[in-house]
Amino acid sequence: MIGLYLSGTGNTRYCVEYLLRLLDETAEAVPIEEENAAERAAAHSSIVLAYPIQYSNAPLMVRAFIREHAELWRGKQVLCLATMGAFSGDGAGCAARILKRCGAAVTGGLHLRMPDSVCDSRLLKKPLEENRRIVKAAEKKMREAAPRILAGDFPRDGLGLSRRIAGLLGQRLWFYGKTARYSDGPKFSGACVGCGLCERVCPMRNLSIQNGRPLPRGRCTMCYRCISLCPRKAITLLGKEVTEQCRIESYLSNEKEDAE
Ligand SMILES: Cc1cc2nc3c(=O)[nH]c(=O)nc-3n(C[C@H](O)[C@H](O)[C@H](O)COP(=O)(O)O)c2cc1C
């Protein structure tokens, strides 16, 4: 078994690694931006494909990865794991449908609610304690799902027609354009000092530092990784100002702290 994932602010990485530890301690989780990710997955018969939901869809980078490696999926057992801030009717189904067309046997779908990664919108901001509770609930859902998955009883989150209609009418239909192509973002404020961290962490290699300023190449997959890591909070995409930078590490309860 192997995990393949895209993760902007770490939620999806955390979830896929957590689930894999419960399913198969020897299984690795590999980010899809890694050059040999598809080759490494080819050696496995069972794959957990994990990604964050964007506008009730799978990110374009994930959909493109599936199609670019169409041969990889033939005959593979694939469990789709989708993390989301609030709602996604058929988040797992969005990738599952493309995977099936590539010959995969989709075994199941697992939806996990996690902290919202959009950190330049006050509307989506939740208190730290609430985000910690959300992560704990996701962990519990994975602990409950794992023994059933091992027994062959897979969760069906986001799969099936009623879920597809919910995803379509709930959001995708209205926001389809947002995930149909890559964004020409992100935007950089005067606080940027051209340190180059954003260039190094971008999974799409969308940014290059030119004359001390990051220049986007129109290939942003809206993962929010650069925004959540920028030491100057100088990067925005959908909003105008970074409130709290979302990083999974902030939402993991400190056991010692909890005991006190
Ligand atoms: C551009 C964008 C769009 C999003 N759209 C949705 C959405 O439609 N529904 C939802 O529940 N969460 C949405 N989210 C929240 C993320 O899916 C969620 O926070 C996810 O766990 C982030 O995972 P990551 O840290 O692995 O990137 C969106 C996030 C971004 C950045």
Side-chain angles (χ1 to χ4, degrees):
M1 181 181 288
I2 192 169
L4 287 177
Y5 69 91
L6 171 68
S7 184
T9 65
N11 291 345
T12 310
R13 173 177 41 81
Y14 181 73
C15 290
V16 71
E17 286 176 349
Y18 193 100
L19 184 68
L20 287 179
R21 276 198 300 278
L22 297 168
L23 296 179
D24 173 359
E25 277 186 6
T26 66
E28 279 182 277
V30 179
I32 60 171
E33 69 262 28
E34 212 163 87
E35 232 159 69
N36 62 354
E39 286 78 49
R40 286 173 69 182
H44 297 265
S45 57
S46 177
I47 301 173
V48 178
L49 177 66
Y51 49 88
I53 288 305
Q54 294 180 348
Y55 299 104
S56 281
N57 204 348
L60 180 51
M61 182 179 176
V62 172
R63 289 179 284 139
F65 178 88
I66 299 173
R67 293 192 176 104
E68 275 160 25
H69 300 95
E71 283 309 308
L72 166 66
W73 310 103
R74 191 157 305 283
K76 302 280 192 219
Q77 297 206 316
V78 187
L79 170 68
C80 296
L81 185 166
T83 70
M84 59 205 65
F87 160 82
S88 152
D90 59 344
C94 290
R97 290 191 290 277
I98 312 174
L99 288 163
K100 280 185 198 160
R101 287 199 288 277
C102 296
V106 174
T107 50
L110 183 61
H111 284 184
L112 296 168
R113 189 164 171 242
M114 288 292 279
D116 205 299
S117 56
V118 177
C119 48
D120 51 3
S121 159
R122 275 186 203 283
L123 269 181
L124 296 169
K125 169 112 186 51
K126 291 188 197 82
L128 182 64
E129 276 316 308
E130 190 178 342
N131 278 329
R132 285 184 169 178
R133 275 196 297 276
I134 288 171
V135 174
K136 285 231 161 291
E139 290 170 347
K140 183 166 178 271
K141 187 168 178 184
M142 287 188 278
R143 284 197 305 275
E144 285 168 1
R148 295 177 56 186
I149 292 173
L150 288 170
D153 177 12
F154 286 83
R156 305 287 304 160
D157 296 346
L159 306 177
L161 187 62
S162 65
R163 297 290 81 213
R164 189 171 177 178
I165 292 168
L168 199 65
L169 298 183
Q171 246 187 356
R172 209 164 45 255
L173 202 57
W174 328 112
F175 292 111
Y176 185 71
K178 303 265 190 202
T179 53
R181 58 196 78 83
Y182 291 116
S183 160
D184 57 7
K187 302 178 279 294
F188 300 85
S189 77
C192 170
V193 290
C195 72
L197 180 68
C198 53
E199 181 188 29
R200 292 194 294 281
V201 299
C202 176
M204 287 294 297
R205 297 195 182 87
N206 177 46
L207 303 166
S208 65
I209 303 290
Q210 309 223 340
N211 301 324
R213 296 281 295 175
L215 194 72
R217 299 189 174 101
R219 288 180 53 76
C220 171
T221 192
M222 300 191 291
C223 75
Y224 269 72
R225 194 184 292 170
C226 62
I227 300 166
S228 73
L229 292 174
C230 174
R232 310 278 302 184
K233 291 191 181 174
I235 318 178
T236 53
L237 182 66
L238 301 176
K240 287 196 167 69
E241 193 194 348
V242 173
T243 47
E244 174 198 295
Q245 287 172 306
C246 314
R247 291 184 206 151
I248 182 64
E249 293 74 20
S250 323
Y251 310 127
L252 300 177
S253 300
N254 183 330
E255 311 259 296
K256 194 166 154 261
E257 225 176 70
D258 285 353
E260 280 165 6

